[in-house]
Amino acid sequence: MFNKFDVLETIEMIEKEHLDIRTVTMGISLLSCIRATAKETAQAVRDTVLKKAEHLVKTAEDLSREFGIPIVNKRVSVTPVSLITAAFPAQSGLVARALDDAANELGIDFLGGYSALVHKGTADYEQTFLNTIPEVLAATVRLCSSVNVGSSRSGINMDAVSVMGGIVKETAALTANADGIGCAKLVVFCNAVEDNPFMAGAFHGTGEADTVVNVGVSGPGVVQHALKFVPEADLTDAAEVIKRTAFKITRAGQLVAKEAAKRLGARFGIVDLSLAPTPARGDSVAHILEELGLSVVGCHGTTAALAMLNDAVKKGGVMASSRVGGLSGAFIPVSEDIGMIESAAAGNITIDKLEAMTCVCSVGLDMIAIPGDTPASTISAIIADEAAIGMINNKTTAVRVIPAPNKKVGDEVSFGGLLGRAPVMPVHGGDSSKFIQRGGLIPAPIHSFKN
């Protein structure tokens, strides 16, 4: 039962602390769209998305007005397109353009699912599909792509990891006139999940219902504000404050998710309670960590503080909803977090420290700009390192790096909006190419054998 204090507190969260529903994402199965030709399939895909998501934007806007909670993004995720175009992979671009056209007509922000799942091996059609990614991302605006190259049960497909380093480089080159923005729409996963509402990694898993609504909530500013009231509390009490705050944030998300699903005639999927920052001041995960007592994010103690934050967010959220899913934790994208941007620009946080932090937070090395002349083998090695963390620790990890064309360390890239801006960060100069060229499969860890 809500009382007047709960209502006033929620209003305060929205007006002053950047509480929002970061995304309402409709997942749509495209398996019924497969036809004899690429052209026919593309038409069926376009028609299906337009029909099922016809009222998505209006419904989200109506709910935002009725509940008084900002809903920042309206998104769609679809069945991994590599499965839809398996019979004609070289023509996957036709389906990509159909999806981007549908997204544009619907007025949604992003559409995810130009994806492939190659964690145990790459079929011939998947290899052809992967080669289409750079041109597709350069030719579309709203379409996002993801590739799953490893899992805790299967190991890491190092042949795919090697290929993805080159694909990231080519994608950056083809979008060089916009600081390599194509790479901001491309993520490489280990242990990808099927119900993730956040881009660029969202896709509609084959185990999902035909049409599903997943919601991603966000509230870094709310958590930071709550911690300001307990400046002298020990970390146990601070964790309790975070848990209670996450509970309230998640309840708001579940309310929106259930009502959106009802109005759209879809299944209610999950609430992803990840703390997703924005470049706006007062909406930063980095600043939460500094509120806990760090002088600057990136100093010693950062990983421990992030571990506590991530765990407390999950504990509070799980108590608030029986449908918690997706990634759920704290994101640390550099370009999308004003605290991370400032720390990276000052040299206080490095890729090595960010990698350590990914062991305990949601996802991985995210929205990091690196020099444009970084070798493809180095990018593949970064992907391999992050995939290894995910595989061994049985968690989702990912890499979304931007080798910024014609940029060097100290320069800056700017994408605008939620994608933000980022200083170009240094990478190690050592050569990883021989390791990457070995290829093969890094075997799954011993604890993967659970049957």
Side-chain angles (χ1 to χ4, degrees):
M1 178 70 71
F2 285 103
N3 58 41
K4 63 180 181 180
F5 299 106
D6 293 320
V7 173
L8 291 172
E9 184 179 44
T10 302
I11 292 172
E12 177 94 356
M13 289 178 178
I14 294 166
E15 291 185 346
K16 298 181 180 179
E17 301 163 23
H18 299 277
L19 173 63
D20 58 49
I21 303 299
R22 185 55 47 87
T23 178
V24 174
T25 301
M26 173 178 278
I28 300 173
S29 174
L30 299 182
L31 292 174
S32 63
C33 298
I34 300 172
R35 301 290 188 270
T37 68
K39 185 176 180 180
E40 292 173 319
T41 299
Q43 186 62 52
V45 163
R46 186 178 187 278
D47 292 344
T48 297
V49 173
L50 287 176
K51 180 180 179 181
K52 293 193 173 183
E54 179 182 5
H55 302 295
L56 174 61
V57 172
K58 183 179 185 303
T59 298
E61 291 173 348
D62 288 346
L63 289 172
S64 182
R65 284 192 296 270
E66 290 172 27
F67 293 138
I69 301 176
I71 298 177
V72 180
N73 284 283
K74 300 87 181 174
R75 300 166 173 169
V76 167
S77 64
V78 298
T79 307
V81 173
S82 64
L83 302 178
I84 309 304
T85 63
F88 35 79
Q91 297 176 281
S92 297
L94 289 176
V95 173
R97 285 190 287 275
L99 287 168
D100 199 53
D101 288 346
N104 181 59
E105 187 169 333
L106 290 167
I108 63 173
D109 299 283
F110 289 106
L111 190 151
Y114 198 77
S115 307
L117 310 177
V118 295
H119 40 282
K120 199 170 184 180
T122 309
D124 290 343
Y125 75 87
E126 290 169 327
Q127 184 60 64
T128 302
F129 176 86
L130 294 179
N131 292 335
T132 69
I133 291 174
E135 289 188 2
V136 161
L137 292 180
T140 57
V141 176
R142 292 171 170 81
L143 191 63
C144 294
S145 178
S146 62
V147 179
N148 192 59
V149 298
S151 76
S152 295
R153 293 301 300 266
S154 65
I156 302 171
N157 180 355
M158 289 299 293
D159 294 322
V161 168
S162 178
V163 167
M164 289 310 299
I167 287 173
V168 170
K169 284 281 288 187
E170 186 180 352
T171 302
L174 291 177
T175 54
N177 61 340
D179 283 342
I181 194 171
C183 295
K185 300 184 292 174
L186 172 61
V187 59
V188 186
F189 277 115
C190 177
N191 289 322
V193 296
E194 297 188 333
D195 56 4
N196 167 24
F198 287 103
M199 301 295 168
F203 63 86
H204 186 70
T206 56
E208 295 285 313
D210 191 50
T211 309
V212 173
V213 170
N214 297 319
V215 164
V217 298
S218 186
V222 179
V223 174
Q224 183 189 359
H225 184 77
L227 288 171
K228 288 182 181 294
F229 289 98
V230 288
E232 304 301 325
D234 65 23
L235 293 176
T236 305
D237 291 339
E240 288 298 317
V241 170
I242 296 169
K243 281 167 56 180
R244 290 196 297 270
T245 306
F247 178 91
K248 296 170 186 175
I249 294 171
T250 306
R251 291 297 256 185
Q254 175 157 297
L255 176 66
V256 170
K258 291 180 71 173
E259 188 61 28
K262 178 182 176 182
R263 296 187 188 186
L264 291 166
R267 290 280 298 274
F268 166 32
I270 57 93
V271 177
D272 186 319
L273 49 95
S274 297
L275 297 180
T278 72
R281 194 163 297 279
D283 200 24
S284 165
V285 169
H287 289 162
I288 296 174
L289 304 181
E290 292 171 359
E291 192 66 44
L292 287 168
L294 304 175
S295 63
V296 63
V297 68
C299 69
H300 295 300
T302 299
T303 305
L306 182 59
M308 187 202 76
L309 171 64
N310 208 57
D311 180 66
V313 165
K314 292 186 178 192
K315 286 174 177 173
V318 167
M319 287 296 293
S321 173
S322 60
R323 295 290 189 90
V324 171
L327 300 168
S328 290
F331 289 170
I332 53 169
V334 173
S335 77
E336 299 173 10
D337 185 314
I338 185 62
M340 291 290 184
I341 293 168
E342 292 174 345
S343 184
N348 292 318
I349 195 163
T350 64
I351 290 181
D352 287 347
K353 185 61 178 177
L354 287 165
E355 182 182 295
M357 293 164 69
T358 65
C359 296
V360 299
C361 77
S362 288
V363 201
L365 295 171
D366 197 14
M367 289 301 290
I368 298 172
I370 58 177
D373 61 359
T374 302
S377 59
T378 298
I379 296 173
S380 293
I382 292 170
I383 293 169
D385 283 343
E386 199 59 32
I389 290 172
M391 177 185 71
I392 295 296
N393 292 291
N394 198 31
K395 70 185 294 289
T396 303
T397 52
V399 172
R400 186 166 48 149
V401 296
I402 300 100
N406 306 313
K407 301 276 181 146
K408 61 183 185 300
V409 174
D411 292 339
E412 185 178 272
V413 297
S414 180
F415 304 119
L418 286 177
L419 296 177
R421 60 185 175 85
V424 177
M425 300 175 69
V427 298
H428 283 286
D431 184 7
S432 309
S433 59
K434 186 174 180 180
F435 172 72
I436 296 300
Q437 288 166 7
R438 285 177 175 267
L441 184 77
I442 292 181
I446 185 64
H447 59 251
S448 69
F449 188 69
K450 297 180 179 179
N451 290 338

